[in-house]
Amino acid sequence: MRTNTRRGAVFAAGVVSLSMVLAACGSDSSSDTESEDAGSDTSEETEGSDEAASDEQIELTVTVFGNGGYEGDADGNNNLFRLYEETHPNVTIKETNAGQGGDALTALLNAIGAGGVGLPDVQMIEEGWRGQMDELSGSFVDLTEYGAEDIKDRWVDWKFEQAVSSDGKVWGYGTDIGPQGLCYDATLLEESGIASSREEFAEALGGADATWDDFWSVGEEFTSATGVPWLGVSSFAMNSFVNQQEEGYYTADGELNTDNPEIQAFLTQIVNATNDGLTAKIDAWTWNNEDFHGNFGVHVCPGWMLGAITEAVSTGDHQWDFADVFPGGATNWGGSFFGVTTEAENPTAAAELADWLTAPEQQIIAFQNAGAYPSQVEAQTDVAVTELTNEVFNEAPVGEILSSRAEGVVAQYKGPQDSVIQDTVMGGVISELNAGQISTPEEAWERFQALLAENGIE
């Protein structure tokens, strides 16, 4: 998950209450004491028994990025690090937010390159870095030595497997996953005559059978009616499309797959849409709040994106909504992990914190704080998730929608340079397209290949 502005999303649901938060913060994160209902009373003492619950004074450093909901909601409430300190009074947590995922990866690689200088005790790891984790796993402890196998059923099976290196080490505990729906400007969609409700919007795009052709076709209708571009950030649509494929920038067996004709065809769609005035030509993570109030109609939204755009969406006079539809079907973009670095002075205490942060109870709070959809089986079925609504997005039933969007999601293999290709290479091509430096599909594809070579990816 990532963010660019104000932290957190504003959510509302009758089942969400302070008592639940308190129950969660007092809950046990270990497998043998996890509650059958993540939203139920879990007030028994944590099994933090161990190091974190002893009298020894412990300081833990944590690096996160974006907005995963750990630092609280839009008003800074329910900060999970503070909640942990309340139930573990001998532990002090010093957290750092590294900014966007790319910034965090650069900082991590620099620290590892410096022999571990600057590495935190607990590091958030983005899904897109997985291809590098075999190489980097030497800088992280093997969580099988801290009980990983005992809690592996906590997660949907593919999430746990994502954090297992080729030599069998478990380098992280999963946080969220990134099923995607579409956020849209309900004010403009109603003015266009296309849809006056989220159900009509989903139906206009083809509902469960929505395709990217449908997406662009409705976009043409929208732009013709309103004079406003359809899509805000086209590089996000590209990310979504790539993640939607059985194989993205790498094949399933780890070979570079950048001559992929499907990716080339979708880049052609983006070039044509840009030339036709269907995109707002906004580069990734560069929007202003005002852009969300009259400058485009739709925005691709994995769960964590809801928190990322909350400030932008809530500070103008246009009503935004969130719909249970996505062109091309199920897709996952993003989701993270917490790993414990080998620089941790107290790896047992650090592993306990990583365990606690990724327990269902805490992941429910993170979802309430920022919309990051949990990867924990119990959390996904808890009413605190399934019945959660979001007042910023027109009271959209975000829990129900994301649960629906998560059906059929399959993890895609991520190669060593996946995040570089996504952000620097393809992101660079689309930025040049937005700037008018590229105008044809052929130029875009040639530039993609050139940037791959310039980044040593061949």
Side-chain angles (χ1 to χ4, degrees):
M1 70 296 295
R2 311 175 179 193
T3 187
N4 71 323
T5 55
R6 181 184 177 192
R7 298 173 304 162
V10 178
F11 294 92
V15 295
V16 179
S17 66
L18 178 61
S19 61
M20 187 188 149
V21 170
L22 294 175
C25 73
S27 69
D28 190 345
S29 59
S30 65
S31 61
D32 57 350
T33 54
E34 278 177 6
S35 156
E36 292 184 0
D37 178 351
S40 65
D41 179 16
T42 54
S43 60
E44 63 241 78
E45 185 54 54
T46 74
E47 194 169 306
S49 32
D50 14 33
E51 301 278 347
S54 71
D55 292 333
E56 177 190 3
Q57 293 302 307
I58 298 170
E59 180 179 294
L60 295 174
T61 56
V62 181
T63 295
V64 298
F65 52 83
N67 179 13
Y70 301 96
E71 298 164 285
D73 63 14
D75 298 316
N77 299 314
N78 299 328
N79 181 309
L80 283 165
F81 301 122
R82 302 292 82 78
L83 293 176
Y84 190 79
E85 290 172 337
E86 288 178 16
T87 53
H88 300 75
N90 63 315
V91 176
T92 300
I93 299 172
K94 292 188 174 180
E95 68 269 24
T96 299
N97 192 311
Q100 305 300 336
D103 300 328
L105 177 58
T106 298
L108 173 65
L109 295 176
N110 288 340
I112 291 175
V117 176
L119 279 178
D121 298 314
V122 178
Q123 169 74 48
M124 179 177 275
I125 301 164
E126 191 180 61
E127 186 233 14
W129 310 352
R130 285 189 296 113
Q132 301 183 57
M133 289 309 296
D134 263 4
E135 182 178 350
L136 301 180
S137 64
S139 297
F140 291 85
V141 306
D142 182 0
L143 291 171
T144 59
E145 298 176 6
Y146 299 89
E149 287 296 327
D150 296 333
I151 59 173
K152 64 184 299 183
D153 291 339
R154 170 184 294 176
W155 295 276
V156 294
D157 53 0
W158 59 268
K159 184 69 175 183
F160 182 82
E161 294 302 322
Q162 282 186 318
V164 180
S165 62
S166 59
D167 60 359
K169 289 179 61 176
V170 177
W171 46 257
Y173 289 151
T175 59
D176 61 319
I177 58 176
Q180 298 192 72
L182 286 178
C183 296
Y184 70 97
D185 186 326
T187 303
L188 285 177
L189 262 294
E190 185 164 9
E191 289 177 8
S192 73
I194 294 172
S196 58
S197 69
R198 67 179 69 94
E199 291 78 15
E200 287 184 8
F201 177 76
E203 185 178 353
L205 287 166
D209 299 319
T211 67
W212 284 103
D213 286 341
D214 297 328
F215 179 81
W216 297 120
S217 176
V218 174
E220 290 175 358
E221 181 182 353
F222 171 86
T223 299
S224 176
T226 63
V228 173
W230 171 238
L231 175 65
V233 184
S234 51
S235 61
F236 287 177
M238 173 59 82
N239 295 349
S240 301
F241 175 83
V242 172
N243 284 317
Q244 204 166 41
Q245 307 309 301
E246 185 174 347
E247 296 178 325
Y249 293 124
Y250 285 82
T251 63
D253 55 4
E255 298 296 322
L256 200 60
N257 190 36
T258 48
D259 284 328
N260 188 324
E262 294 174 330
I263 294 174
Q264 182 177 8
F266 195 76
L267 181 58
T268 294
Q269 290 185 30
I270 287 180
V271 173
N272 291 338
T274 302
N275 290 338
D276 291 342
L278 299 184
T279 74
K281 302 181 182 179
I282 299 173
D283 290 345
W285 309 109
T286 64
W287 59 75
N288 297 312
N289 292 348
E290 294 75 16
D291 288 329
F292 280 80
H293 299 277
N295 288 345
F296 61 88
V298 298
H299 190 75
V300 297
C301 276
W304 48 264
M305 186 68 78
L306 297 171
I309 65 174
T310 283
E311 178 179 339
V313 167
S314 60
T315 54
D317 57 0
H318 282 234
Q319 176 65 60
W320 276 72
D321 208 324
F322 180 54
D324 184 4
V325 65
F326 202 84
T331 178
N332 184 80
W333 177 18
S336 297
F337 305 82
F338 277 116
V340 175
T341 75
T342 52
E343 296 301 310
E345 291 186 8
N346 193 329
T348 299
E352 287 175 22
L353 175 60
D355 178 351
W356 186 88
L357 288 169
T358 58
E361 298 88 345
Q362 282 62 252
Q363 286 301 302
I364 290 173
I365 296 174
F367 180 58
Q368 294 165 348
N369 284 345
Y373 189 70
S375 60
Q376 293 71 12
V377 176
E378 286 187 12
Q380 289 183 355
T381 56
D382 194 289
V383 294
V385 170
T386 60
E387 297 185 7
L388 191 69
T389 61
N390 186 321
E391 63 179 300
V392 169
F393 290 87
N394 199 24
E395 301 292 352
V398 293
E400 178 183 336
I401 291 172
L402 288 170
S403 176
S404 171
R405 301 312 316 161
E407 293 179 6
V409 166
V410 177
Q412 183 191 79
Y413 176 81
K414 296 295 182 184
Q417 299 298 318
D418 220 292
S419 60
V420 176
I421 298 172
Q422 172 183 288
D423 296 335
T424 304
V425 178
M426 185 59 82
V429 171
I430 294 177
S431 290
E432 292 181 14
L433 173 67
N434 289 339
Q437 297 166 344
I438 291 173
S439 59
T440 69
E442 292 77 17
E443 289 175 347
W445 192 245
E446 288 174 4
R447 187 62 179 141
F448 177 65
Q449 298 299 332
L451 283 177
L452 285 169
E454 289 178 19
N455 283 274
I457 304 171
E458 297 178 281

